[in-house]
Amino acid sequence: MLYILITYDINTTSLNGQARLRKVAKVCINYGQRVQNSVFECKVNEAQYRELQHKLLKIIDKNVDSLRFYRLGENYDKKVKHIGAKQTYKVDDPMIL
Amino acid sequence: MLYILITYDINTTSLNGQARLRKVAKVCINYGQRVQNSVFECKVNEAQYRELQHKLLKIIDKNVDSLRFYRLGENYDKKVKHIGAKQTYKVDDPMIL
C-alpha cells in the first residue's frame, strides 16, 4: 500500500472556486482521512492512486489551483508530528475562511 | 539533513488569527520554501528543527490552530508530485482567503 499525503490550494476567489474546493474534499475523503482543512492522508494502492489523481485533475483549474502529492512511505505515522487542535471535518461543511 | 514538510491550519476567525497566520509563515520562510498557502518544505538539521518547532509553538493557539510536521526523508523531491498553479508568495502578502 502507498501512504499519500495530499495538500491543495484551491483559489476560492476564482469562479466556482468554492464548488471545486468542496468537490476536491469529497473525492479525497473516499480515499483517506482529512487531517487539516486542505490536507488528507490516504492509504491507497497504485490503481487507486491513479484513479484519485485522475478524479482530482478533472475537478481543479490547473491555472489557479494547486495540488501536491507526497509519497510518505511505510510506517508514516512515525514520521508525523501533530501539535494543536484536531478538527473533525464534515465534508459538506461550508469552508470557514 | 532532515526534509520536513510543515502544514498548518490557523483559525483566522479567532482573535489575532490573521496575525498568528502571518507570524507562522514568517518563521517558516526562514527554514524553507513555501509551496502552498499553508505548506512549507524545509531542509533543516535536528537543532534547527527543534528551534523551528519551538518558535511555532510560541506563536500558535493550541486550542484552535493545528500544526503538522512530516519527516519526508532523503531524496524527497522524488516523492513529491505537483499539479497546477505554482504561486509565488511574499510573506507579507495579506492572506487571500
Side-chain angles (χ1 to χ4, degrees):
Chain A
M1 290 298 255
L2 303 172
Y3 292 89
I4 306 291
L5 182 76
I6 302 176
T7 69
Y8 53 83
D9 270 357
I10 305 300
N11 187 322
T12 51
T13 59
S14 63
L15 192 64
N16 303 321
Q18 283 288 356
R20 292 198 308 276
L21 190 63
R22 270 195 300 273
K23 282 182 194 160
V24 164
K26 276 193 172 175
V27 164
C28 289
I29 203 73
N30 294 324
Y31 294 85
Q33 62 166 347
R34 191 175 202 168
V35 292
Q36 283 177 344
N37 264 327
S38 303
V39 179
F40 281 77
E41 292 176 5
C42 302
K43 195 174 147 186
V44 288
N45 60 36
E46 289 284 357
Q48 289 167 325
Y49 182 32
R50 276 193 303 274
E51 184 186 82
L52 172 56
Q53 290 177 71
H54 179 69
K55 284 180 183 174
L56 295 178
L57 261 160
K58 282 200 311 189
I59 296 170
I60 67 162
D61 175 344
K62 280 202 236 176
N63 298 311
V64 294
D65 301 334
S66 164
L67 265 176
R68 293 181 79 82
F69 301 91
Y70 294 88
R71 287 180 180 243
L72 295 178
E74 295 302 324
N75 53 51
Y76 83 94
D77 42 352
K78 293 195 183 60
K79 299 175 188 169
V80 189
K81 181 173 184 175
H82 177 270
I83 298 171
K86 278 208 171 161
Q87 297 280 352
T88 46
Y89 298 89
K90 280 187 265 94
V91 173
D92 295 316
D93 264 1
M95 276 302 300
I96 320 140
L97 294 178
Chain B
M1 289 298 256
L2 302 171
Y3 293 90
I4 305 292
L5 181 75
I6 302 176
T7 69
Y8 53 83
D9 268 358
I10 305 301
N11 187 323
T12 51
T13 61
S14 63
L15 192 65
N16 301 322
Q18 284 286 358
R20 292 197 308 276
L21 191 62
R22 270 194 300 274
K23 281 183 196 158
V24 164
K26 274 193 175 176
V27 165
C28 289
I29 204 73
N30 294 324
Y31 294 85
Q33 62 164 349
R34 192 174 202 168
V35 292
Q36 283 177 346
N37 263 329
S38 303
V39 180
F40 280 77
E41 293 177 4
C42 301
K43 195 174 147 187
V44 288
N45 59 37
E46 288 283 357
Q48 289 166 326
Y49 183 31
R50 277 193 303 273
E51 185 186 81
L52 171 56
Q53 290 177 71
H54 181 68
K55 286 179 182 174
L56 294 177
L57 262 161
K58 284 202 306 190
I59 296 170
I60 67 163
D61 175 343
K62 280 202 237 178
N63 299 310
V64 293
D65 300 336
S66 164
L67 264 176
R68 294 182 77 83
F69 301 92
Y70 295 87
R71 285 181 181 241
L72 296 179
E74 296 301 325
N75 52 53
Y76 82 94
D77 42 355
K78 294 198 185 58
K79 300 174 186 170
V80 189
K81 180 172 185 176
H82 177 270
I83 298 172
K86 278 209 169 156
Q87 296 282 350
T88 46
Y89 298 90
K90 281 183 271 108
V91 173
D92 292 317
D93 265 1
M95 275 303 299
I96 316 142
L97 295 177

